[in-house]
Amino acid sequence: MLLEPGFLIVQTLNGLQLSMLLFLLSIGLSVVFGMMNFINLAHGTLYMVGAYLALSTVRWFDSFWVALALAPLGVALIGALFYAVLLRHMQRQSPMRQVLVTFGLIFVGFDAVRMVWGVLPHTIPVPETLAGRVYVLGEVYPAYRLFIIAIGLAVLAALYAGLERTRLGAVVRAGVDDRTMVAALGIDVERAFFLVFCLGCWLAGLAGVVSAPVFSIFPGMDMSILILTLIVVVVGGPGSLKGAVIGSLVIGMVDTYGQVVAPEFARVTIYALMAAVLLVRPHGLFPVRRTH
Amino acid sequence: MGTREQGAPWPRQAASPGAAAGTPSLLALDAVDAFYDRSHVLQALSMEVESGTVVALLGRNGAGKTTTLKTVMGIVPVRAGRMRFDGADVTGLPTHRIARLGIAYVPEDRGIFASLTVHEHLTLANVPDGWPLGRIYEAFPRLAERRGHRGTQLSGGEQQMLSIARALTLAPRLLILDEPTEGLAPVIVEEIAAIAGRLKAEGLTMLLVEQNYPFAARIADRVYVLGKGRIRWHGAPAALDADEEVKHTWLGI
C-alpha cells in the first residue's frame, strides 16, 4: 500500500497542504522572534480568531471571498491593538515573562471565542468555485485543498520578493542580524518590527481563514497547530524565510505520513525529529548567520 | 598642554576651552554616569568634541572607552549627567534619533549585516544629504567591485571599509570610530589612516577609540585618557607624548 503511486500522490499533497498552513503560521512567529527575541505564544490564538472571523463574515456576506479579504485584516487589527496595549511593554522584559503573558493570552482568547461563538464546533462551506475535484497525476483530489497549497506558495513568493527586493525587507534582515546597528543607522527598528508583527498576525489570520472550510472551528483548535508551529520554528531555525519553509515542509510531511503509516507513533515521531535536530544543530537547520 | 584630572569632574570653564573662545563644542558630555554591567562603568565623565577636530579616547582594556561611545550613541543609557550635541540636549534620546541628528557610528565589531549585500548596506540609511553612492564607490573602489557580495563574504579590511562607508551615507556631522584598525593587516591600517586623513581634511569631526597609539597620535588634535571609567588626562597628543607618567600609569606604554 505504501508504495502505491496513488497513495503517495494523495499523501504528499496532504502533507504539502499542512506544510503551507504551517508556513503561513511559522514565518511571522519566526521573523518576530529573530528580530526582537520576542516569543508570542498566542500566535495560534490569532489563527483561531481568523477562522471564527471567517465564520461570522461568511454568515453576514454569504461569501468566502469576502471573508478571505476581511478576516485576516481583522486579525491584524487585533494584533496591532494587543501590541500597542500590552506587548510593546513586554519587549524589554525577560523571556519568562513574555512566555507567561502570551501564554495567558491563549486562555483569554479561548474564553473570548467561547463567549462570542459558543463551545460547539462550526464549519464553513467550501467556496462553490473550488468545491469540485480535480485530477492530479491521475488521482482525484479536492480542488480547495490545492487552493490552500497555491495560497501558501503565493505568500512564499511574495514574502521572498518583499524580503529580498524592498528596503523594508532589507531593514528586517538587518534587524535579525544586529538590531542595535540598524538603530545606529537612524532607523526606527521598533516601527519596522511593529509592521512585521502585524504582517505575521495577518498571515496567521489568513491561515485560519483558509483552513476553516477544511477543519472544524472550535475553541482550542489553536493548540495542536501552535505546537506544530513552534516545532517548525525550532527545527528550521528562527529568523529566516528559508528555515520556515524547510521546517514547514519537514514537519508537514513527517506529520502527515506519520499519521497514516504509524498513527500510534505520529506525534512521537515529530518530537523525536525535533530532539534529533536540536542535538545535531542546536540553532536549527538554517540558523541566521551572524557576522559576530 | 595637558590637564590632569583628579577623579571629580573638572570645573566647567577649564573643561571647555571652546566655550571660553565662543565656539560651542559639537558634542559635550557633562558629568555623565553610565553602566550596563559591573565591568562597564563611567563615572562623572566630562568631555568635549569641538567642531572640525579629531578627538581620540585612549586607555587600557576595560577603561570604559567603548562604553563611552555606546553612551553617546544612546545604546548604553545615561544614568546621571547631561549630553549635548550641537547645543541641544540629547540625554536619553533613543539610538535612531541620535543617529538622525548626524552622529554616525562605526562599532568595534564593525556591525556588518551577514545577509545584506554591500549595496544594501549603503542604501539602508536612506538619508537625503548623505554621501551619494557614486561618491562612496569612487572613494572605496573595493566596495564598488564587491557591491553584490553579502556581508559574510567580505574580508576584515573590506568590512571595516564598508562600515565607514555606510556611516558616511548618514551625512554625519560627527563620525564615531571604535578601534578602526583593530585586527587589520598593516597595509589595510595604512588605507584606513589615509581615509581618516582625507575625512579630517574635509573638516569632518571625529571621535575615535584606539589601542593603536601611533595611529591615534597621528590623526588626533586632542586626546582624552580614560582609566577605570574616569577621564585621567586630556590635552594635545604632543603633550601626552612628553608625559611619561600618564602614559605609564594609564596607557601602559
Side-chain angles (χ1 to χ4, degrees):
Chain A
M1 172 195 96
L2 263 182
L3 294 173
E4 256 177 59
F7 171 84
L8 285 178
I9 289 165
V10 169
Q11 291 310 326
T12 302
L13 286 172
N14 285 345
L16 208 52
Q17 180 216 313
L18 178 61
S19 299
M20 288 303 132
L21 282 180
L22 288 176
F23 169 69
L24 292 181
L25 283 162
S26 61
I27 183 63
L29 203 61
S30 171
V31 171
V32 160
F33 183 71
M35 263 182 105
M36 304 303 255
N37 269 332
F38 179 75
I39 315 149
N40 179 20
L41 285 183
H43 203 68
T45 303
L46 297 167
Y47 160 85
M48 176 171 68
V49 170
Y52 272 106
L53 287 181
L55 175 70
S56 292
T57 320
V58 166
R59 280 176 181 169
W60 281 348
F61 295 97
D62 198 27
S63 160
F64 173 79
W65 305 107
V66 174
L68 187 68
L70 293 185
L73 283 179
V75 174
L77 206 68
I78 292 171
L81 208 69
F82 268 111
Y83 182 88
V85 173
L86 196 60
L87 305 183
R88 192 160 58 95
H89 310 288
M90 295 304 303
Q91 275 176 34
R92 310 225 182 288
Q93 309 274 353
S94 68
M96 193 60 199
R97 287 204 184 179
Q98 295 175 2
V99 165
L100 287 175
V101 166
T102 58
F103 193 65
L105 284 178
I106 294 178
F107 294 104
V108 173
F110 181 86
D111 273 346
V113 298
R114 222 170 42 165
M115 275 193 284
V116 178
W117 287 280
V119 288
L120 294 177
H122 299 276
T123 50
I124 62 172
V126 171
E128 250 171 66
T129 33
L130 295 171
R133 291 168 179 269
V134 286
Y135 283 94
V136 181
L137 300 167
E139 291 301 315
V140 181
Y141 200 73
Y144 184 78
R145 288 174 173 253
L146 287 182
F147 168 73
I148 295 181
I149 297 173
I151 287 249
L153 292 175
V155 165
L156 169 58
L159 286 181
Y160 179 79
L163 269 174
E164 292 294 323
R165 300 270 178 270
T166 69
R167 187 168 163 270
L168 177 64
V171 168
V172 169
R173 278 181 290 137
V176 170
D177 283 342
D178 184 347
R179 82 193 220 221
T180 307
M181 194 60 228
V182 176
L185 292 173
I187 295 162
D188 190 346
V189 190
E190 207 121 317
R191 210 185 55 187
F193 171 72
F194 174 67
L195 292 175
V196 170
F197 181 82
C198 290
L199 182 62
C201 296
W202 186 84
L203 288 171
L206 182 69
V209 178
V210 298
S211 59
V214 181
F215 306 119
S216 59
I217 309 166
F218 60 95
M221 66 183 279
D222 50 332
M223 282 318 283
S224 57
I225 200 96
L226 170 71
I227 289 165
L228 281 183
T229 304
L230 290 173
I231 294 175
V232 166
V233 174
V234 169
V235 167
S240 77
L241 185 66
K242 198 172 166 188
V245 171
I246 305 291
S248 301
L249 284 172
V250 168
I251 299 301
M253 288 298 173
V254 169
D255 191 64
T256 303
Y257 273 97
Q259 303 272 9
V260 286
V261 175
E264 62 273 39
F265 295 119
R267 276 294 142 84
V268 180
T269 321
I270 295 283
Y271 291 119
L273 180 74
M274 178 175 73
V277 167
L278 285 181
L279 277 177
V280 183
R281 311 202 44 163
H283 300 288
L285 292 174
F286 296 98
V288 172
R289 287 170 306 164
R290 291 178 198 267
T291 31
H292 44 87
Chain B
M1 284 297 293
T3 311
R4 296 277 171 87
E5 301 298 337
Q6 299 303 326
W10 61 78
R12 291 202 79 181
Q13 268 330 92
S16 13
T23 46
S25 41
L26 187 61
L27 176 76
L29 273 66
D30 182 12
V32 165
D33 282 3
F35 53 90
Y36 60 96
D37 62 49
R38 258 183 222 180
S39 54
H40 298 90
V41 179
L42 305 181
Q43 294 170 67
L45 191 127
S46 297
M47 60 178 291
E48 313 224 348
V49 180
E50 275 166 64
S51 205
T53 65
V54 176
V55 170
L57 268 175
L58 305 180
R60 296 171 188 258
N61 274 333
K65 308 185 296 290
T66 295
T67 309
T68 306
L69 301 188
K70 285 187 170 170
T71 305
V72 171
M73 286 312 296
I75 298 166
V76 171
V78 173
R79 310 278 175 157
R82 308 308 296 171
M83 196 168 81
R84 300 176 79 77
F85 182 68
D86 198 19
D89 193 331
V90 296
T91 320
L93 281 190
T95 302
H96 70 272
R97 291 198 43 206
I98 289 177
R100 268 189 229 152
L101 289 174
I103 306 185
Y105 180 45
V106 176
E108 195 175 3
D109 65 15
R110 298 169 193 136
I112 297 303
F113 306 116
S115 59
L116 265 63
T117 63
V118 167
H119 181 80
E120 284 175 324
H121 276 87
L122 297 172
T123 49
L124 201 64
N126 200 22
V127 171
D129 6 310
W131 280 36
L133 267 183
R135 190 173 166 204
I136 295 265
Y137 285 143
E138 211 173 290
F140 302 88
R142 280 285 276 286
L143 297 182
E145 286 165 33
R146 300 196 146 248
R147 61 199 299 161
H149 290 242
R150 304 230 174 206
T152 39
Q153 297 169 311
L154 303 178
S155 71
E158 287 165 344
Q159 288 192 356
Q160 191 58 266
M161 303 276 176
L162 178 56
S163 194
I164 296 172
R166 177 181 60 185
L168 296 174
T169 66
L170 277 160
R173 295 157 70 202
L174 171 65
L175 177 62
I176 293 181
L177 300 158
D178 195 349
E179 306 235 16
T181 67
E182 189 190 20
L184 298 179
V187 56
I188 310 285
V189 172
E190 275 314 303
E191 263 185 75
I192 302 277
I195 291 163
R198 254 180 289 152
L199 293 174
K200 183 183 174 178
E202 285 184 25
L204 182 61
T205 314
M206 286 185 266
L207 170 62
L208 85 151
V209 156
E210 253 311 335
Q211 297 274 7
N212 181 341
Y213 177 67
F215 176 89
R218 207 164 98 197
I219 184 170
D221 300 305
R222 190 169 177 80
V223 169
Y224 283 86
V225 174
L226 263 155
K228 296 178 183 164
R230 290 168 185 271
I231 300 284
R232 303 295 172 171
W233 186 91
H234 69 113
L240 176 62
D241 226 22
D243 197 329
E244 292 300 330
E245 196 196 323
V246 169
K247 280 202 292 184
H248 178 75
T249 314
W250 298 112
L251 300 178
I253 355 183

